[in-house]
Amino acid sequence: MIVFPAIDLVAGKVVRLQRGDRSRMTVYSDDPAAVARDFVSQGAQWLHVVDLSAAFEEDDAAREANSKAIAALCKVEGISIDVGGGVRSLRRIDELAGLGAERIAMGTVLVRDEAFAQAAAEQFGELLVADVAAKDGQVKVNGWREGVSASADEVVGRLASQGFKHLVFTDIARDGMQTGIDVEAYRHIAQVAGFPVVASGGISTTADIASLAAVGDAIEGCITGRALYEGAFTLAEALAAAKGE
């Protein structure tokens, strides 16, 4: 199972939010590439990057700072970058691919523009990741600020037919809260999708990671952020738990 340490970006800084709330933000570093190099030194092979300034449609200066940070992250040796946040056009996909991103996540357009999402998946294939976030079973979009009249099962259930082969599923109620995870929820989502899921939201202990790894092939990986930054465990410990050690 892949462990994806997370780097969430606002105006070029590494941050974490609680339940996706922009007003509940903690800044951890103003040097994202240094954070990534530290993760590499601990054994990371993948990094999950979220452009929150793009997702929240912040000003040009904030978004440009994030683009520069993403470019720097893609140049860090020894790690593959999975990046998302505000990806709503083929041009942005091209830009991120040109920077060297190995996976590019799309969220809001999965619901707002299904035809575009399918066309993008057909064109870019394995490069694209479906990014679905839900609270109480209902999908949230636009930086998790807006609800839509669609359930998680409904949105996830059509991903395979649209051409998606990768999925990040976030439990918003638990994200950034270090409250533990709902393993069965991720197992269920993988069954609905028909392919493995990357679990995001609430990981607080290495036991959470081990329990996801124990599910087997249905869980491709897990994303962890705040627990790493606040010292609940090290990345090396997380990687060991993912291997059942």
Side-chain angles (χ1 to χ4, degrees):
M1 185 179 78
I2 302 169
V3 175
F4 294 81
I7 289 184
D8 291 357
L9 297 170
V10 168
K13 294 178 172 59
V14 180
V15 307
R16 291 299 287 172
L17 310 183
Q18 293 186 15
R19 294 174 178 162
D21 187 342
R22 178 68 170 78
S23 68
R24 302 173 72 185
M25 181 176 80
T26 303
V27 178
Y28 290 103
S29 174
D30 59 4
D31 190 345
V35 174
R37 287 191 292 270
D38 180 59
F39 286 145
V40 172
S41 74
Q42 295 185 62
Q45 295 182 322
W46 278 91
L47 183 66
H48 180 73
V49 180
V50 182
D51 184 344
L52 290 175
S53 292
F56 291 140
E57 300 177 302
E58 295 184 340
D59 60 44
D60 289 345
R63 297 176 73 162
E64 178 61 24
N66 274 3
S67 290
K68 289 180 179 178
I70 292 168
L73 288 168
C74 287
K75 292 178 182 177
V76 173
E77 294 185 2
I79 200 163
S80 297
I81 304 297
D82 166 22
V83 61
V87 178
R88 296 164 190 166
S89 69
L90 294 178
R91 178 180 177 182
R92 185 57 175 162
I93 296 170
D94 278 330
E95 288 174 353
L96 293 170
L99 291 175
E102 302 261 350
R103 291 187 183 181
I104 299 169
M106 300 171 57
T108 297
V109 294
L110 296 175
V111 177
R112 295 288 194 224
D113 192 342
E114 293 178 39
F116 169 78
Q118 181 165 341
E122 290 173 353
Q123 180 173 340
F124 290 96
E126 291 275 356
L127 181 67
L128 291 190
V129 178
D131 187 353
V132 179
K135 185 175 182 180
D136 300 324
Q138 293 299 119
V139 171
K140 299 281 189 177
V141 299
N142 195 19
W144 305 352
R145 293 171 296 177
E146 299 175 16
V148 294
S149 57
S151 69
D153 282 14
E154 180 183 348
V155 174
V156 170
R158 59 178 178 246
L159 292 177
S161 65
Q162 289 177 314
F164 287 94
K165 298 177 182 178
H166 298 291
L167 167 65
V168 171
F169 184 79
T170 302
D171 184 346
I172 295 173
R174 296 171 186 260
D175 187 73
M177 301 303 293
Q178 291 182 256
T179 52
I181 58 169
D182 184 347
V183 175
E184 290 307 312
Y186 294 115
R187 192 199 305 267
H188 170 75
I189 286 294
Q191 290 174 341
V192 173
F195 54 86
V197 62
V198 173
S200 175
I203 288 175
S204 58
T205 67
T206 54
D208 290 332
I209 296 171
S211 65
L212 286 168
V215 171
D217 292 342
I219 307 295
E220 181 185 16
C222 66
I223 295 168
T224 179
R226 185 177 293 274
L228 286 176
Y229 292 110
E230 299 193 350
F233 49 78
T234 67
L235 179 57
E237 290 170 337
L239 292 168
K243 295 177 183 176
E245 298 175 358

